[in-house]
Amino acid sequence: AVVSTQSTGDLNYSKVEHMCTGAAYCQMVHMLWPNKVPMKKVKFDAKLEHAYIDNWKVLQESFKRLHIEKDIPIQRLVKGRFQDNFEFLQWFYKFFTINDSGDHDH
């Protein structure tokens, strides 16, 4: 599976496991609701688990602000295992598709 966040920066992921940093999810939620994700707090160059956790917490706080009721299994996702990340990615894909207007030129 290849995940590409086109026109949102040059994030390219060749493996589902690479989504464990949380940064791409922050960026995609920012595409949907530009003022709800504090992108300055997102660590795109995160290489360690504690930095991934910080990114996921940014996403979690954004979800709270948007009244999105989704339990994010942060401790499992940051481990980078395929199954956990694939399950969250599947949920997020449906969520994004439902909420995406296609207008990303905010």
Side-chain angles (χ1 to χ4, degrees), residues 3-68:
V3 177
S4 176
T5 56
Q6 302 150 354
S7 76
T8 60
D10 292 329
L11 292 181
N12 256 321
Y13 296 92
S14 58
K15 290 184 165 188
V16 169
E17 297 91 323
H18 295 163
M19 298 293 285
C20 71
T21 70
Y25 294 109
C26 290
Q27 195 158 25
M28 289 184 282
V29 171
H30 175 72
M31 286 171 57
L32 297 174
W33 297 284
N35 299 319
K36 300 296 182 183
V37 182
M39 294 303 291
K40 290 183 198 121
K41 292 184 176 182
V42 179
K43 299 170 183 167
F44 289 98
D45 57 350
K47 301 270 187 265
L48 300 171
E49 212 171 277
H50 68 84
Y52 302 167
I53 290 169
D54 291 343
N55 287 344
W56 285 105
K57 287 184 177 176
V58 169
L59 184 68
Q60 197 168 48
E61 289 302 312
S62 300
F63 275 16
K64 284 180 188 167
R65 274 192 290 285
L66 291 160
H67 307 287
I68 297 165

Side-chain angles (χ1 to χ4, degrees), residues 66-99:
L66 291 160
H67 307 287
I68 297 165
E69 293 184 26
K70 173 64 178 170
D71 183 39
I72 302 173
I74 295 173
Q75 294 302 323
R76 290 203 334 255
L77 292 168
V78 297
K79 299 296 181 198
R81 287 188 295 263
F82 175 82
Q83 192 60 41
D84 296 323
N85 282 276
F86 185 64
E87 288 171 12
F88 190 80
L89 181 59
Q90 284 182 311
W91 174 84
F92 192 87
Y93 177 78
K94 289 177 195 160
F95 164 80
F96 187 89
T97 304
I98 289 167
N99 290 285

